[in-house]
C-alpha cells in the first residue's frame, strides 16, 4: 500500500470551485519517483550502541538546571508541517503566543552574499547539454516499474476523483452545518414535497430517491476514506506495534528514576546535612557579631555630640563638621529606624547651623581685627588668634593655620560669599586709614584749631604744601602696608582654594584608576573607611591622631581584617577607645585640613562630595579673591583721590611751582607703581585725578611762560645781546644729549665773562636776549615732561603753541615793523632783520632735538602729534626766507632809485656806482658779524642779481650796447669799479658776480 508521503501535492483547481484541489492531469509534465514507506516513528528496542546511548540519557542531577529537548512541550517541526495548515493557516502563532505576535520579514544577513541567478550561470552552461541528453534518454526509454506504478496510481486516483465529483460541493465546504436554514434547505429540498402535509405516492418516491442519493454519497465517501486508510494501513499497524515497546521503555525509566532518587537521598543525608548545619551556625555567629558591632556603633554615635562640642571648644570647625557629616551618614545608612536616635539627626543639623554661624562670625571678627590693627606691624597676617577671638583657649593658635581651617570650613559649607564680608571691612578700614592719617598730621600742626575747623577737607586746605605733601606721603605709605596685609591674607585664602582644587582633581584621577581596575595596586591612598576614620575625633583626639591610629590598626591586623575596609559604622565604633586621650592636647588645624584635602579623605565620601564646591565654583572663588585684591587697589586709589581733590578744591594745586608739582607727580607715580606691583592692577582713578590736575598745571605753566615770552618780545629792541656763560653751558649740555636744566651752581664760584656769540656745533649765533630765555623755557618744558611723562602730549601741544607764538610775534615786530610802536625804535634796520633771522635759525636748529626728546616719551600710537614740529619748522623756514627777501628788497629799492639816474659820461667811476658800492659796503658791514659766510654769500648773490637787472634795464633805456664804443668803455669802467669793491669785502673775495649778463645778447 502506498504511503501518504508519496501522494502528489494537490493544487487548486482551475475550475474555481471552493475546497476542491485537482492534480495536473498531464503525465508528461510531471516526473514521479518510486513510492517509499514512511519512516518508523516508534523505533524498535534499541540494542548495542543504542543501549549505551540510553544509559547515557538525561540525568536528573546533572541536567536539572539545563534545558534539554525533553523539556519541550510542542514538537514545533510537526506543528509547522501539519497537513491541516491550509485550514489553520497563520493563526498557529497568534493562538500560542498572543495577538501581538506577527510575522515580520527577516532582514537578510550582512555576512551572507546575495546569491542571484547569474552565480549559477557557468554551472548551468556546463550541465545544460548533459541535462538535455539525460531528458531525451528518459523519454525514449522510461522505467517499466515506474510506468506501472504511475498508471495504477493515476487510474485509481482518477476513478476516486470521478466518484467524489458526484458528491455535491456543499458537503465539501468547511462551514457545512445543517442548523443553517439555507444549508438545510439546499440538502433537503422540501419544496418537492406536499406543503399541505398530505403524503402522496410522488412524495414518497421523492423522499426515497433522496435517501438513496444520500446513501450513495455516503458510500462514495466511505469508500474514499477506506481507500485512504488502506494506503496508510502499514503506518497505523506499525504505530500500534510500537506502543508495547514504548511501555517497556517507560517501565525501565521509572526503575532508573527510583534508583537515582535513592542515591540522591543518601547523598543528602551523608554529605549535605552536616555542612549545612555548620553554615547555619556560622551565619548565626555572624549575625551575633553584627549585632554586637551595631551596639558598639550606637555607643559611638551616642558620643558624637560631646565630641562635637569638644571640637567646637577648640574651634576645630573642620573636624566637627566632618564628624557631624559622618554621624549623619551612619544614622541614615546603618542606624536608620533606631528609636533612641530619632532626634539626633535634627540635633546634628542644628549644631551644623550653629557652626556655620560661628564660622561667619569668626571670619568677620578676623577681618575687622586684621584690617583695623596698627599699621606699624608688619604686612603679614596676625600672629596670634587670641588677639581678636572672644574665646579663651589653653594655648594660642597660629593665626595662619586658624585662618586656613576657617576658610576650608566655609568652603565645605558652601559659604562662598565670605569674601563679601572681607570686602566690606576693607572699605571701612580704608576710610579709617585716611581719617587717622589726617588726624595724626593735624595734631602736630599748632596753627590749625581742630575745634573750629572740624572737617578733614578744610583742615587739609589749611596746611602748607610741605605739610600736606608729608600727609599725602604718609597716606601712601599706610595704604601700601594696608595692601600688603590684604594680599597676605588673600594669599592664605587662595592657597586653601587651590589646595581644594588639587584635591578634587586627584580624587577624580583615583576614581578613574579604581574604575579601570587599578584601585588595588600597592601603595594606593587610604580607602574610604580609613579616610572616614581619619576625620573622627573624640574628646580632644584630633584628625592626625585618629589617622595614625587607623593606620596602626590596619597594619597590625591580618587576613581578612587587614584587607577589609572600615566603613562609617566601624569608624565610629573606634571612638570608644579614644575617650582616655581627652587630655592629650590639640594639634594644629593644618593637619586636619591636610587630611581633609586627601583624595581618600572626607572629601572622598559621599556626604563630603555633596558638600564641597565643584571645580567651577572653586574657580569662581579664586577669581573673586583676585578681584578682591583689585578692589583693594581701587579703593586705596579712590581714598587717595579724595585727599588729592580735597586739596585741589580751592585751586591750590594749580598754583604749585613746577618743582612742587613734579614732587607731587613723582610721589603719585611711585605709589601707583607700588600698587601695580602688589596687586597686578592698573588702577586709573588716581592717575586720572593727577592727569586732571596736570592738565590744569600745564595750562597755568604754559600761560605763565607764554605771557613771559610775550612781555620779553614786547620789550625786545632786537639788538645783539651778550651770551652769559651759563647759557653757553646750557647749549653745550644739549649738544651732549642732556635735555635738562642744569643745576644751579652755588654762589661763590668764579664768574666767567659773557661772550658775544652763542657757539653751537662750530657755528656762531648772534642772538637777542629773548631767544636765550626761549631756549631755557623750552628746556623747562622738556624737563617737565621728564618728570611727568603722563603730560607729554599736552605739553608738546603747548610747546608747539609757544614756538608758533614766538614766530608770529617776532614777525609782527620785525617784518611788520611793530617794534616801532611797541618799543619805540626809529626804524627796522638790516641788522635787526639779520638778528631776527639768526634767532629763528637757532630755534629751527633745536626743533629736531626737541622732537626727538618728545618722541622718547610718547607711545607709537601718539606719534601723530609730532607733526606739529613739521608745521613749525615750515613756518620758521618761511619766515627766514621772508627776512632774506626783505633784505634783498631793501637793496633792490635802493638800486632802482640810484640806477634810474645813471648816465654814461665822465668822470669815471661815476657817482652812481660810487653810491652803490657805498651801500653795498654798509650792508656787508651790518650782516658780516651776524650771518655765517655761506648765507652772506647767497644773500649778496641775490643782491647782485637785483643790481644786474636794474643796470641792464637802464642800459637798454640809454641805448648802450656791447659794441666796443666809447659808452661801452665807460660802462665797463664802472662795472669793474663795482666788481673790485664788492670782491674786496670779507668772505666775498671768490664771489662770482658774472657781470656780463648786463648786456643784451644780439639776435
Amino acid at each position: 500500500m502506498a504511503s501518504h508521503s508519496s501522494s502528489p501535492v494537490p493544487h487548486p483547481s482551475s475550475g474555481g470551485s471552493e475546497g476542491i484541489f485537482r492534480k495536473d492531469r498531464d503525465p508528461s509534465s510531471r516526473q514521479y519517483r518510486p513510492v517509499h514507506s514512511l519512516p518508523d516513528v516508534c523505533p524498535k528496542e534499541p540494542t548495542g550502541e543504542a543501549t549505551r546511548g540510553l544509559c547515557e540519557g538525561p540525568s536528573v542531577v546533572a541536567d536539572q538546571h539545563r534545558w534539554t529537548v525533553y523539556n519541550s512541550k510542542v514538537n514545533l517541526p510537526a506543528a509547522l508541517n501539519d497537513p491541516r495548515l491550509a485550514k489553520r493557516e497563520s493563526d498557529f502563532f497568534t493562538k500560542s503566543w498572543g495577538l501581538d505576535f506577527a510575522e515580520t520579514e527577516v532582514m537578510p544577513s550582512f555576512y551572507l552574499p546575495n546569491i542571484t541567478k547569474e552565480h549559477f550561470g557557468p554551472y548551468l552552461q556546463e550541465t545544460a547539454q548533459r541535462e538535455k541528453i539525460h531528458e531525451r534518454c528518459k523519454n525514449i526509454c522510461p522505467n517499466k516499474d515506474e510506468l506501472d506504478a504511475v498508471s495504477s496510481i493515476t487510474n485509481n486516483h482518477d476513478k476516486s476523483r470521478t466518484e467524489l465529483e458526484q458528491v455535491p460541493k456543499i458537503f465539501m465546504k468547511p462551514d457545512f452545518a445543517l442548523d443553517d436554514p439555507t444549508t438545510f434547505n439546499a440538502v433537503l429540498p422540501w419544496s418537492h414535497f406536499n406543503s399541505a402535509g398530505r403524503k402522496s405516492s410522488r412524495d414518497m418516491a421523492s423522499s426515497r430517491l433522496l435517501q438513496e442519493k444520500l446513501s450513495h454519497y455516503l458510500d462514495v465517501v466511505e469508500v474514499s476514506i477506506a481507500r485512504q486508510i488502506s494506503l496508510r494501513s502499514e503506518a497505523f499497524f506499525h504505530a500500534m506495534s510500537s506502543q508495547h515497546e514504548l511501555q517497556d521503555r517507560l517501565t525501565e525509566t521509572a526503575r532508573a528514576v527510583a534508583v537515582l532518587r535513592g542515591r540522591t537521598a543518601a547523598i543528602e543525608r551523608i554529605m549535605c546535612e552536616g555542612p549545612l548545619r555548620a553554615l547555619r551556625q556560622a551565619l548565626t555567629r555572624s549575625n551575633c557579631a553584627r549585632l554586637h558591632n551595631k551596639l558598639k556603633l550606637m555607643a559611638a554615635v551616642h558620643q558624637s555630640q560631646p565630641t562635637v562640642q569638644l571640637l567646637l571648644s577648640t574651634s576645630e570647625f573642620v573636624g566637627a563638621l566632618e564628624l557631624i557629616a559622618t554621624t549623619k551618614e551612619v544614622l541614615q545608612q546603618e542606624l536608620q529606624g533606631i528609636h533612641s536616635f530619632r532626634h539626633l539627626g535634627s540635633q546634628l543639623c542644628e549644631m551644623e547651623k550653629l557652626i556655620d554661624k560661628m564660622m561667619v562670625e569668626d571670619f568677620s571678627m578676623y577681618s575687622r581685627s586684621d584690617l583695623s590693627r596698627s599699621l606699624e606691624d608688619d604686612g603679614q597676617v596676625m600672629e596670634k588668634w587670641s588677639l581678636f577671638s572672644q574665646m579663651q583657649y589653653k594655648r594660642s593658635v597660629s593665626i595662619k593655620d586658624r585662618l586656613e581651617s576657617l576658610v576650608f570650613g566655609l568652603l565645605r559649607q558652601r559659604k562662598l560669599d565670605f569674601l563679601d564680608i572681607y570686602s566690606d571691612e576693607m572699605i571701612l578700614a580704608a576710610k579709617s586709614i585716611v581719617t587717622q592719617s589726617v588726624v595724626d598730621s593735624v595734631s602736630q600742626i599748632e596753627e590749625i584749631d581742630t575745634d573750629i575747623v572740624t572737617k578733614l577737607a578744610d583742615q587739609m586746605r589749611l596746611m602748607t604744601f610741605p605739610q600736606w605733601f608729608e600727609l599725602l606721603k604718609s597716606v601712601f605709605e599706610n595704604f601700601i602696608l594696608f595692601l600688603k596685609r590684604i594680599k597676605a591674607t588673600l594669599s592664605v585664602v587662595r592657597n586653601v582654594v587651590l589646595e581644594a582644587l588639587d584635591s578634587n582633581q586627584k580624587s577624580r584621577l583615583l576614581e578613574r584608576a579604581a574604575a579601570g581596575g587599578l584601585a588595588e595596586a600597592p601603595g594606593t591612598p587610604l580607602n574610604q573607611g580609613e579616610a572616614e576614620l581619619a576625620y573622627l575625633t573624640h574628646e580632644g583626639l584630633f584628625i592626625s591622631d585618629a589617622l595614625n591610629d587607623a593606620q596602626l590598626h590596619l597594619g597590625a591586623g591580618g587576613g581578612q581584617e587587614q584587607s577589609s575596609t572600615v566603613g562609617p559604622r566601624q569608624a565610629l565604633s573606634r571612638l570608644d577607645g579614644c575617650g582616655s586621650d581627652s587630655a592629650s592636647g590639640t594639634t594644629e588645624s593644618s593637619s586636619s585640613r591636610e587630611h581633609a584635602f586627601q583624595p581618600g579623605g572626607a572629601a572622598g565620601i559621599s556626604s563630603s562630595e555633596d558638600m564641597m564646591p565643584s571645580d567651577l565654583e572653586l574657580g569662581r572663588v579664586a577669581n573673586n579673591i583676585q578681584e578682591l585684591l583689585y578692589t583693594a587697589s581701587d579703593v586705596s586709589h579712590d581714598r587717595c583721590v579724595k585727599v588729592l581733590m580735597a586739596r585741589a578744591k580751592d585751586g591750590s594745586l594749580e598754583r604749585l611751582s613746577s618743582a612742587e608739582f613734579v614732587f607731587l607727580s613723582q610721589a603719585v607715580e611711585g605709589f601707583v607703581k607700588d600698587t601695580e606691583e602688589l596687586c597686578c592692577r592698573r588702577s586709573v582713578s588716581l592717575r586720572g585725578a593727577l592727569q586732571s590736575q596736570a592738565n590744569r598745571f600745564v595750562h597755568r605753566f604754559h600761560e605763565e611762560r607764554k605771557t613771559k615770552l610775550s612781555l620779553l618780545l614786547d620789550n625786545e629792541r632786537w639788538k645783539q645781546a651778550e651770551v652769559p656763560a651759563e647759557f653757553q653751558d646750557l647749549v653745550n649740555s644739549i649738544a651732549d644729549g642732556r635735555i635738562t636744566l642744569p643745576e644751579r651752581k652755588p654762589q661763590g664760584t668764579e664768574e666767567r665773562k659773557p661772550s658775544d656769540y652763542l657757539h653751537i656745533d662750530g657755528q656762531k649765533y648772534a642772538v637777542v636776549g629773548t631767544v636765550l630765555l626761549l631756549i631755557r623755557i623750552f628746556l623747562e618744558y622738556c624737563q617737565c615732561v621728564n618728570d611727568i611723562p603722563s603730560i607729554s602730549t599736552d605739553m608738546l601741544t603747548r610747546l608747539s603753541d609757544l614756538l608758533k607764538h614766538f614766530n608770529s610775534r617776532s614777525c609782527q615786530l620785525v617784518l611788520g615793523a611793530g617794534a616801532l610802536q611797541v618799543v619805540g625804535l626809529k626804524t627796522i634796520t638790516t641788522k635787526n632783520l639779520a638778528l631776527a633771522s639768526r634767532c629763528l635759525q637757532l630755534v629751527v636748529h633745536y626743533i629736531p632735538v626737541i622732537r626727538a626728546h618728545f618722541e622718547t616719551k610718547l607711545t607709537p600710537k601718539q606719534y601723530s602729534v609730532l607733526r606739529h614740529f613739521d608745521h613749525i619748522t615750515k613756518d620758521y623756514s618761511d619766515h627766514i626766507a621772508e627776512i632774506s627777501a626783505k633784505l634783498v628788497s631793501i637793496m633792490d629799492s635802493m638800486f632802482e632809485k640810484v640806477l634810474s639816474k645813471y648816465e654814461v659820461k665822465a668822470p669815471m667811476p661815476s657817482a652812481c656806482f660810487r653810491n652803490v658800492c657805498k651801500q653795498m659796503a654798509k650792508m656787508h658791514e651790518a650782516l658780516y658779524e651776524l650771518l655765517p659766510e655761506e648765507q652772506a654769500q647767497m644773500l649778496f648773490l641775490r643782491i647782485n642779481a637785483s643790481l644786474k637787472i636794474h643796470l641792464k634795464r637802464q642800459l637798454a633805456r640809454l641805448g648802450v650796447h656791447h659794441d666796443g664804443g666809447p659808452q661801452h668803455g665807460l660802462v665797463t669802467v664802472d662795472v669793474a669799479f663795482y666788481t673790485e669793491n664788492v670782491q674786496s669785502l670779507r668772505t666775498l673775495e671768490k664771489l662770482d658776480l658774472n657781470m656780463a649778463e648786463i648786456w643784451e645778447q644780439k639776435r
Side-chain angles (χ1 to χ4, degrees), residues 93 174 415 526 565 926:
F93 297 104
K415 301 292 183 181
L526 298 176
T565 58

Side-chain angles (χ1 to χ4, degrees), residues 429-439 456 475 479 639-640 643:
K431 293 180 180 178
S432 65
I433 286 175
V434 175
T435 303
Q436 188 63 36
S437 299
V438 175
V439 171
L456 297 179
V475 171
F479 272 118
R639 291 292 103 191
C640 294
V643 177

Side-chain angles (χ1 to χ4, degrees), residues 948-963 968 971 995-1003:
K948 289 189 291 185
I949 292 173
H950 289 287
L951 180 59
K952 182 177 181 179
R953 188 181 302 157
Q954 183 65 20
L955 292 177
R957 185 182 304 113
L958 295 176
V960 179
H961 302 287
H962 189 271
D963 53 1
H968 174 261
V971 172
M995 297 302 293
E997 294 180 353
I998 64 175
W999 304 107
E1000 292 185 355
Q1001 299 295 330
K1002 293 183 179 181
R1003 299 179 179 177

Side-chain angles (χ1 to χ4, degrees), residues 790-820:
S790 60
I791 62 174
S792 298
T793 55
D794 196 11
M795 194 64 77
L796 186 150
T797 305
R798 303 305 174 96
L799 179 57
S800 63
D801 179 68
L802 183 73
L803 295 176
K804 289 179 181 178
H805 176 70
F806 173 78
N807 183 44
S808 61
R809 187 62 180 158
S810 61
C811 181
Q812 293 172 1
L813 292 174
V814 179
L815 283 178
L820 299 179

Side-chain angles (χ1 to χ4, degrees), residues 363 403 407 418-419 489-497 625:
F363 186 79
L403 179 60
V407 171
F418 66 93
L419 292 176
T489 300
L490 294 181
S491 297
V492 175
V493 178
R494 184 188 295 109
N495 291 336
V496 175
V497 174
I625 293 172

